[in-house]
Amino acid sequence: MNPSYAAIFSVQPLELNQHFQMVSDAPLEHISTPQQTPITLPLQLHQDLEKALSPIVITQIVKATSISWQEGCLSLPSDKLTNEQKKQLWSLIGEQLDKL
């Protein structure tokens, strides 16, 4: 549970024992990242993303198999997104803003 929500609902956030944590929770230095290809988004989409993520700054947009966010780097499958991919993207943006 997000610590902010835990504070609002007056509950103690729980964390998994390290034995049960997923690989994605491991420090990023240990995960090898393949060469990523930068992609150029249409100007309007890029501006909308910057506005939506504000105050978070997008430092790089790269092509990947799935939509993800990692320390300023936004990964997208292509420069043209399907409706389902757009839903995933906006959900991801909401999650990142909840972490602030």
Side-chain angles (χ1 to χ4, degrees):
M1 175 180 277
N2 185 311
S4 300
Y5 294 134
I8 291 171
F9 296 116
S10 300
V11 296
Q12 182 177 1
L14 301 176
E15 294 182 17
L16 286 177
N17 183 313
Q18 289 182 351
H19 175 74
F20 297 106
Q21 288 184 345
M22 309 223 13
V23 174
S24 64
D25 292 340
L28 297 176
E29 299 84 35
H30 300 354
I31 300 174
S32 62
T33 56
Q35 182 66 23
Q36 296 177 332
T37 307
I39 59 174
T40 304
L41 296 178
L43 180 61
Q44 186 63 49
L45 177 57
H46 189 81
Q47 289 174 342
D48 289 346
L49 288 173
E50 286 180 338
K51 287 178 187 176
L53 278 165
S54 181
I56 300 171
V57 177
I58 302 171
T59 57
Q60 188 178 16
I61 301 174
V62 296
K63 187 170 185 165
T65 56
S66 63
I67 297 173
S68 64
W69 174 265
Q70 196 172 56
E71 296 183 17
C73 180
L74 178 62
S75 301
L76 298 174
S78 72
D79 61 341
K80 297 189 188 314
L81 303 175
T82 65
N83 288 337
E84 186 60 35
Q85 290 170 332
K86 288 177 185 177
K87 289 177 187 177
Q88 292 173 0
L89 176 59
W90 295 117
S91 175
L92 178 72
I93 290 171
E95 290 172 13
Q96 295 308 312
L97 292 175
D98 283 346
K99 292 179 182 178
L100 294 179

